[in-house]
Amino acid sequence: MLCFAPFLKLNFLGSSLTFMMLYVWGRRNEHVQMQIFGVLNFTAPYLPLVMLLLSAFLGNSTTIDMLGIIAGHCFYFFEYVYPKVAEIRGWRIKKVLEPPEV
């Protein structure tokens, strides 16, 4: 997110971080039922998209929110999806986001 912030002229990335966490939480808890305003029922993976549509409906810029969703998708993929695929296919690098050992 920090790499793209200067190009998009973003000063505060709090909303992006919130959307990133919403995305990861929604993917990790995919069977949780959500409800907004007592009218719209959906499952947790759709929460970032619902919040994005709500933000757009209220007239806010969706660029910051989309940046968070993209960052959350990248994090989720490299933390949870890629290691499983790498183990099944026998790739040498199994975990991309693993901290270095000292």
Side-chain angles (χ1 to χ4, degrees):
M1 285 190 299
L2 281 175
C3 297
F4 295 110
F7 298 113
L8 298 173
K9 296 183 175 112
L10 302 175
N11 296 327
F12 183 67
L13 294 174
S15 179
S16 293
L17 183 62
T18 303
F19 269 83
M20 178 184 164
M21 297 306 291
L22 275 175
Y23 186 89
V24 173
W25 180 84
R27 289 291 182 179
R28 297 284 294 157
N29 300 294
E30 60 188 28
H31 298 294
V32 174
Q33 291 290 321
M34 309 284 303
Q35 189 174 34
I36 191 163
F37 300 129
V39 176
L40 181 63
N41 295 323
F42 55 92
T43 56
Y46 294 108
L47 180 60
L49 298 175
V50 170
M51 295 298 291
L52 181 72
L53 291 174
L54 183 63
S55 180
F57 180 71
L58 293 174
N60 297 330
S61 174
T62 58
T63 306
I64 300 171
D65 303 339
M66 280 301 296
L67 181 63
I69 291 173
I70 292 168
H73 179 75
C74 292
F75 176 79
Y76 181 79
F77 177 79
F78 286 118
E79 184 68 21
Y80 299 107
V81 176
Y82 178 80
K84 291 178 184 176
V85 172
E87 186 175 329
I88 290 170
R89 295 189 179 178
W91 293 343
R92 188 173 48 92
I93 299 174
K94 302 221 185 297
K95 194 145 179 148
V96 177
L97 298 178
E98 187 173 33
E101 294 181 18
V102 180

